[in-house]
Amino acid sequence: MKRTISKVLLTAVAAAVILSSCSKNPEESRYIPKTAGVVIDLNAKQLTTKLVTNGITMDKLFAAADTKDTANEVMKAWKDAENSGIDLQSHFFASIVFQGQAAEKKSYVALTASLKDADKFEAYLKKNVADFSLKTQNDFKYIWETKQHAVIGWNKSAVIYISAIDPNNLEQYAPGGSNQSSPNGDQPIVDSAVAVPAALRATDDDATIKNWVAEVDHLFHLKKEESAGSIEPFAKLLKENADAGVFVNPEAIYNSGQFTMIPANVKKLMEGTYYTGTVNFENGKILFNGNTFMGKEIAGIYKKYGKKEIDLDMLKKYPAESITGFISYAFDFRMIGEIIKATGMDGVVNMAISGKSGLSMDDILNAFEGQLVYVASDLAITKKESEYMPGEFVEKPSAKWIFSLKVGNKDAFNKVMTSPMLKEVFTREGDHYVIANPMAAATMPPVSITEKFVTVGSDSVVLQQYLGGKGSVKLPEGVESKVKGSMLGGYVDLEKVISIIPEDKAEGDEKTVLQKSKALLKDFTVVSKADGGDVQHTEAVLTFKNKDQNSLVQLVNLGTEVAKVMKEKKAKEKAYEDSLFAAPVDTATAVSPN
């Protein structure tokens, strides 16, 4: 089967983590336009070093292939990538550029990489692209890849591949996406790496080709101020030199014409807002870091209501020494109202709310302080009798938990609780509210509603113990200091969660892999804080039990074992199916040995 450049680039991304050499600055980023809505960066050099120095080899990865034929095919793709002229130790960028109306099919995905040998790359294309027809424009060469309806352009140092996409159906462009076989079954009609837009499946006219070649020309000759590198958050992302990174520019997306229904004042509100994220594989952990760079309008609203921190007392009074996990959040709900007002939608929102409840948006937002917590413990798999089949028992996960929300303005809260919307649901008894319908209350988790807190529990015992304030939660070492002072803090004891997975139905190697999987992860924490004026920083850490080995290596090792077990299981299933369809021996006509 002929290989296309899309497969080569994707193979190169995977292959790059196997090699090791000196890295260079991500020069490829200068070909990314500032109109890109989403940019993904893979730092091949860093991933390379972390795998190779821990003994991950191509042979080990090929051992995970489903069949010998598949392994040979993967090896061939690897050799092709090695000899394609693409620099397998460079940064690899995938960008999605949104432009024009959706029906115009002007949006596209671009894959960008460095070349270490342009002549080899040209020779590779000539050998592997069936309708290879070399053309030159300005200072770069290009071909039109008919099967993919894409332009492949390259100069002495870089290659750019672009293909039109449908922004309303992006999932079809993901590797492994839906594809169909040709009538003779020898190859897919649509490459799973880059699907072909329906509007481009017809004959490619000269105008279409010229338009996409012009876009490649534009990318090769971007001025500094036209590139994504001129956007400060993107430039900062590249300087972090992470294993992988992502950049999102909402302004580029909604100004592209794809979202014509977004009001102008909403666009103004979000102007100058960007999101960046990085992933780093370290010994014993994976680090995720994200930044929200707030534009002037959003930052102004944020500063107006000041910094808010989670209330640790709401967490620490949970009635258990050991917990499975928690999430705490502190957010001034009035900010939501301010954002809605800034968009000019407050009139519509108030009309919708008032018609059913007699309340205003401000009444609801003032009723709650914006402090909430969810805590869980005692996670287990228990046998419970089926509600629909008495005498039948099923295994279901169970846990003890508490959800609590702090009340804000008491007058606003009481106004909400006695509004036409809720007065038939809740009734006041002394200093608290109860569910009016006893039958409804019997089917719902226990709840306590006062002028201080709205609290729901897994059972009445846990609820009353929590309300009594006699809890003594002991958070794992370092967790409390990490989440203290943050606006969001969360923790999950993955070791406890995974430990409840039953092993009795697994056999042989499957059971071994399951046991190794259960021994892989320790916990997960997430914290979000304001990093000064206009930046909101979020950090998440996925911790592994083995603290001495790189987390990426641990995942690859486990992945190869899982693939091996799946391959063996598939072989056994095939052997069993073959035995069922084997021709039976006719014992009635069998020849007697006598």
Side-chain angles (χ1 to χ4, degrees), residues 34-347:
K34 67 190 303 181
T35 53
V38 180
V39 181
I40 298 173
D41 170 28
L42 179 68
N43 188 332
K45 169 59 168 58
Q46 301 222 147
L47 295 171
T48 293
T49 303
K50 291 176 180 180
L51 285 177
V52 173
T53 55
N54 284 274
I56 300 297
T57 64
M58 285 300 296
D59 290 339
K60 188 166 187 177
L61 291 181
F62 289 154
D66 286 345
T67 66
K68 182 178 180 180
D69 292 338
T70 303
N72 291 336
E73 196 69 15
V74 174
M75 178 63 81
K76 182 179 182 299
W78 161 254
K79 293 300 181 183
D80 282 348
E82 275 190 316
N83 297 316
S84 67
I86 295 176
D87 186 352
L88 301 182
Q89 290 90 39
S90 66
H91 281 249
F92 293 87
F93 288 95
S95 311
I96 301 177
V97 179
F98 299 87
Q99 55 186 13
Q101 303 297 324
E104 295 177 309
K105 305 295 181 183
K106 291 183 177 180
S107 297
Y108 64 88
V109 61
L111 304 178
T112 310
S114 286
L115 286 181
K116 59 182 180 181
D117 192 323
D119 291 336
K120 276 190 175 182
F121 183 69
E122 182 178 328
Y124 165 80
L125 292 178
K126 188 174 183 179
K127 176 183 177 183
N128 290 280
V129 177
D131 54 352
F132 179 87
S133 178
L134 183 65
K135 298 183 184 300
T136 300
Q137 179 156 320
N138 294 329
D139 55 353
F140 70 94
K141 298 178 180 180
Y142 74 90
I143 67 168
W144 173 256
E145 215 286 326
T146 304
K147 179 183 176 184
Q148 302 301 325
H149 298 265
V151 177
I152 306 164
W154 68 97
N155 57 24
K156 291 182 179 180
S157 60
V159 54
I160 300 175
Y161 169 101
I162 67 172
S163 181
I165 60 170
D166 179 0
N168 296 321
N169 193 18
L170 292 178
E171 66 272 10
Q172 67 176 302
Y173 305 101
S178 61
N179 61 324
Q180 298 176 342
S181 297
S182 60
N184 58 15
D186 58 354
Q187 66 181 38
I189 295 175
V190 179
D191 188 314
S192 62
V194 183
V196 180
L200 297 180
R201 287 182 184 141
T203 302
D204 303 316
D205 56 39
D206 289 341
T208 298
I209 297 174
K210 286 180 179 179
N211 285 338
W212 290 116
V213 172
E215 187 64 29
V216 173
D217 196 346
H218 173 64
L219 296 182
F220 270 127
H221 300 95
L222 286 175
K223 297 177 181 179
K224 186 175 181 180
E225 62 273 15
E226 294 176 325
S227 71
S230 64
I231 301 174
E232 186 178 359
F234 183 72
K236 287 183 176 180
L237 175 66
L238 295 181
K239 290 178 181 178
E240 292 188 39
N241 203 33
D243 292 344
V246 62
F247 169 75
V248 180
N249 182 353
E251 193 174 351
I253 298 173
Y254 59 65
N255 281 340
S256 65
Q258 300 291 332
F259 302 95
T260 55
M261 298 301 292
I262 297 180
N265 46 7
V266 174
K267 295 180 179 179
K268 179 175 173 54
L269 178 67
M270 294 299 295
E271 186 176 319
T273 297
Y274 304 95
Y275 307 98
T276 64
T278 62
V279 179
N280 282 290
F281 297 93
E282 305 294 344
N283 283 358
K285 59 187 175 182
I286 302 177
L287 301 178
F288 305 89
N289 282 282
N291 288 304
T292 299
F293 296 85
M294 293 179 283
K296 182 179 178 180
E297 298 289 332
I298 287 289
I301 293 174
Y302 185 88
K303 291 175 183 177
K304 179 178 178 179
Y305 291 96
K307 181 182 177 182
K308 202 170 184 66
E309 300 178 359
I310 59 176
D311 185 348
L312 282 176
D313 289 338
M314 294 176 65
L315 166 64
K316 297 178 72 174
K317 67 179 183 179
Y318 184 78
E321 288 192 3
S322 176
I323 62 173
T324 304
F326 74 87
I327 183 76
S328 294
Y329 195 37
F331 180 79
D332 196 321
F333 287 170
R334 293 176 297 176
M335 287 178 60
I336 299 175
E338 197 73 18
I339 291 172
I340 293 174
K341 291 174 184 177
T343 64
M345 297 294 292
D346 51 314

Side-chain angles (χ1 to χ4, degrees), residues 431-495:
D431 63 349
H432 62 280
Y433 292 88
V434 298
I435 299 174
N437 188 326
M439 293 183 65
T443 62
M444 296 176 63
V447 59
S448 169
I449 304 175
T450 70
E451 293 179 344
K452 293 183 178 180
F453 294 96
V454 175
T455 308
V456 185
S458 57
D459 59 71
S460 58
V461 174
V462 172
L463 178 62
Q464 293 306 315
Q465 289 176 338
Y466 179 81
L467 297 175
K470 298 180 180 180
S472 55
V473 165
K474 292 182 180 179
L475 298 176
E477 183 179 356
V479 173
E480 182 173 346
S481 61
K482 183 178 289 188
V483 302
K484 186 177 182 180
S486 66
M487 66 172 290
L488 180 146
Y491 166 81
V492 179
D493 188 332
L494 295 173
E495 188 173 0

Side-chain angles (χ1 to χ4, degrees), residues 60-64 555-565:
K60 188 166 187 177
L61 291 181
F62 289 154
L555 290 175
V556 170
N557 284 335
L558 179 62
T560 56
E561 290 195 44
V562 171
K564 181 180 178 181
V565 170

